[in-house]
Amino acid sequence: MPLVLSSDMALGQTRITPRVSIEGAEYYIFTPTLTCLDVRKIQRADFVCNMSDYRGDILAAMDALITNT
């Protein structure tokens, strides 16, 4: 999932961009950009952590994005 530092961006639509904490830093899971990722440009170093603890938040964000609810 793409992440954005919460200090870099003020997002009001937290339903589709849930906020998470990774090693003491606050991030938004930037779900809307999932469809824009070029998988050929993703490098192993781009993977910073396992987000399985946030699975429910991620699925809810994707559902809200798709269903607009």
Side-chain angles (χ1 to χ4, degrees), residues 12-57:
Q13 192 57 266
T14 56
R15 182 139 192 220
I16 61 172
T17 56
R19 199 169 176 163
V20 298
S21 179
I22 301 170
E23 296 181 4
E26 296 293 317
Y27 296 87
Y28 290 109
I29 300 175
F30 210 50
T31 312
T33 60
L34 272 177
T35 59
C36 302
L37 293 176
D38 185 348
V39 295
R40 296 169 294 186
K41 293 182 179 179
I42 299 173
Q43 304 295 314
R44 185 160 184 75
D46 295 327
F47 293 88
V48 294
C49 69
N50 183 327
M51 300 293 292
S52 61
D53 290 345
Y54 298 102
R55 183 179 190 274
D57 295 325

